[in-house]
Amino acid sequence: SKEFEIYYYDDLMDEESKREIIIRNALLDIVNGNNSDNELYVQYQPIYDLKQNKITGFEALGRLHTKELGNIPPLDFISIAEKTKIIIPIGEIITEKSLKFLSDINNEYPNIGVTINVSAIQMYTSDFVTKLLNIIDKYQVNPKNVGLELTESIIVVDYEQINTHLDCLKEEGIQIYIDDFGTGYSSLAREIELKMDFLKIDKYFIDKLIYRDHDKCITGDIISMAHKLGHQTVAEGVEDKIQLEYLRKNNCDRIQGYYYSKPLSKEDAVKFLIQDKKI
Ligand code: C2E
Ligand code: MG
Ligand code: MG
Ligand code: MG
């Protein structure tokens, strides 16, 4: 029978391909609104401003729980979603949830923002901007409180086109972040000319602040360079007080990491705002 054929084929597959099919099917179920035990939700990691000494926002991080495999790390399910373009509806669901959360918290905290990670494939979809603006309109949030995190990989595709897109988004007041700065393969010259507002310094550089002599660390130079070009900086993956002290001394604008807070459920994110933690 047909069922047998499918099963037989499955059985010959390596574990990795089987896992990929399960994840892809779970994503399909979610996109199609099928009633399954697979769940796509968002966690929010607080971001602390070192100049204002207070929380200024959250990064929205997608989470997938599947019935068969449990929790799937975002880098795994995002890359599978990217292969099949299912990242487009998945990205829309994440954006929708994140902006609903933003609209809920902005009633009490009008200046808190949320940043959303966006894949290159989403960014290059012709109606990306229109769809984003529709969701912003639906939840009546201030576009100034909405940030998009893009990785360096977006530049590789089409540098001119991407800057035109970014201009368009910035005109609406949306904040642009370059994520994981310093780890991509694009040229530094082009990267620093991108029309961004914030540069997020990758954890790779922040980790070095723990075990390397601070005189030999270039994080401070990345911060000065960003400032010269008119960009603010966010340090990623701050886990230790030593890192925090270096970043303060070297004028970093914002920090994010387990030292301040892990990613939180939306309920815990609201409690975190009330608590108003200082570091
Ligand atoms: P990212 O955008 O660079 O997000 C930061 C990652 O670092 C998150 O991992 C966060 O949980 C983790 N992190 C934050 N602080 C610390 C720390 O102090 N120590 C350590 N060890 N880790 C820390 P996560 O949530 O596993 O996400 C991994 C990546 O997956 C993200 O990296 C982003 O590139 C991608 N991703 C997550 N959600 C989405 C999404 O909704 N859409 C897209 N396109 N990509 C997403
Ligand atoms: Mg990010
Ligand atoms: Mg990052
Ligand atoms: Mg990173």
Side-chain angles (χ1 to χ4, degrees):
S1 74
K2 206 166 182 234
E3 269 169 58
F4 182 71
E5 271 169 23
I6 292 165
Y7 179 74
Y8 184 67
Y9 180 62
D10 260 2
D11 216 36
L12 282 178
M13 279 180 172
D14 57 71
E15 285 306 314
E16 200 47 41
S17 315
K18 277 188 208 164
R19 187 171 183 270
E20 195 168 320
I21 287 175
I22 294 170
I23 294 171
R24 199 196 301 155
N25 286 338
L27 292 170
L28 267 172
D29 268 345
I30 288 160
V31 166
N32 293 329
N34 290 344
N35 205 349
S36 65
D37 291 326
N38 302 311
E39 202 196 343
L40 180 70
Y41 61 102
V42 182
Q43 285 192 329
Y44 301 93
Q45 188 174 30
I47 297 169
Y48 191 77
D49 192 297
L50 297 175
K51 308 283 162 76
Q52 304 175 54
N53 270 309
K54 63 178 186 197
I55 183 171
T56 43
F58 297 91
E59 175 173 8
L61 294 160
R63 299 287 179 252
L64 176 69
H65 181 89
T66 68
K67 186 183 163 193
E68 283 161 283
L69 301 169
N71 294 330
I72 311 296
L75 284 174
D76 289 7
F77 81 77
I78 295 291
S79 63
I80 291 169
E82 282 174 343
K83 274 194 215 170
T84 57
K85 297 234 181 343
I86 201 174
I87 188 66
I88 294 163
I90 289 291
E92 280 167 27
I93 295 172
I94 290 170
T95 304
E96 178 104 29
K97 288 182 191 288
S98 304
L99 295 191
K100 178 172 191 313
F101 166 76
L102 182 64
S103 113
D104 289 344
I105 57 172
N106 278 168
N107 290 327
E108 285 278 331
Y109 305 92
N111 297 317
I112 295 290
V114 163
T115 63
I116 300 162
N117 292 284
V118 177
S119 299
I121 299 169
Q122 289 173 269
M123 192 70 195
Y124 283 102
T125 311
S126 59
D127 56 357
F128 173 76
V129 178
T130 316
K131 278 188 169 161
L132 176 66
L133 294 177
N134 280 343
I135 304 176
I136 287 175
D137 193 59
K138 177 173 172 189
Y139 291 105
Q140 290 291 299
V141 291
N142 185 342
K144 288 190 171 52
N145 287 338
V146 179
L148 299 183
E149 297 198 6
L150 314 164
T151 58
E152 299 164 357
S153 64
I154 53 148
I155 321 174
V156 181
V157 193
D158 186 340
Y159 177 71
E160 301 296 329
Q161 195 193 333
I162 204 68
N163 251 346
T164 312
H165 268 314
L166 297 188
D167 259 346
C168 187
L169 290 162
K170 279 169 63 85
E171 239 163 69
E172 298 290 337
I174 294 160
Q175 307 283 307
I176 305 298
Y177 291 69
I178 294 301
D179 205 352
D180 304 336
F181 181 80
T183 59
Y185 300 98
S186 48
S187 92
L188 178 68
R190 289 194 146 182
E191 222 169 281
I192 59 181
E193 278 173 13
L194 274 179
K195 311 233 171 128
M196 62 175 126
D197 301 288
F198 287 87
L199 187 155
K200 297 191 81 169
I201 306 167
D202 195 74
K203 184 175 181 297
Y204 173 84
F205 298 99
I206 309 306
D207 281 348
K208 297 218 183 294
L209 301 176
I210 293 184
Y211 55 84
R212 189 180 274 184
D213 181 353
H214 282 184
D215 288 342
K216 295 195 171 75
C217 287
I218 62 161
T219 306
D221 304 287
I222 297 176
I223 297 167
S224 334
M225 181 194 75
H227 286 163
K228 264 185 198 155
L229 296 162
H231 314 313
Q232 291 197 65
T233 50
V234 186
E236 297 190 311
V238 178
E239 293 179 343
D240 192 283
K241 196 163 169 76
I242 291 180
Q243 295 167 312
L244 176 67
E245 279 165 1
Y246 175 99
L247 293 163
R248 266 217 169 94
K249 207 171 95 193
N250 285 276
N251 269 318
C252 187
D253 301 277
R254 296 178 181 179
I255 68 110
Q256 175 181 1
Y258 297 170
Y259 184 80
Y260 183 51
S261 172
K262 291 202 167 183
L264 305 168
S265 68
K266 58 179 190 296
E267 293 80 10
D268 286 344
V270 171
K271 285 183 196 153
F272 194 86
L273 279 171
I274 296 167
Q275 189 192 325
D276 195 25
K277 178 177 172 179
K278 305 287 180 194
I279 50 171

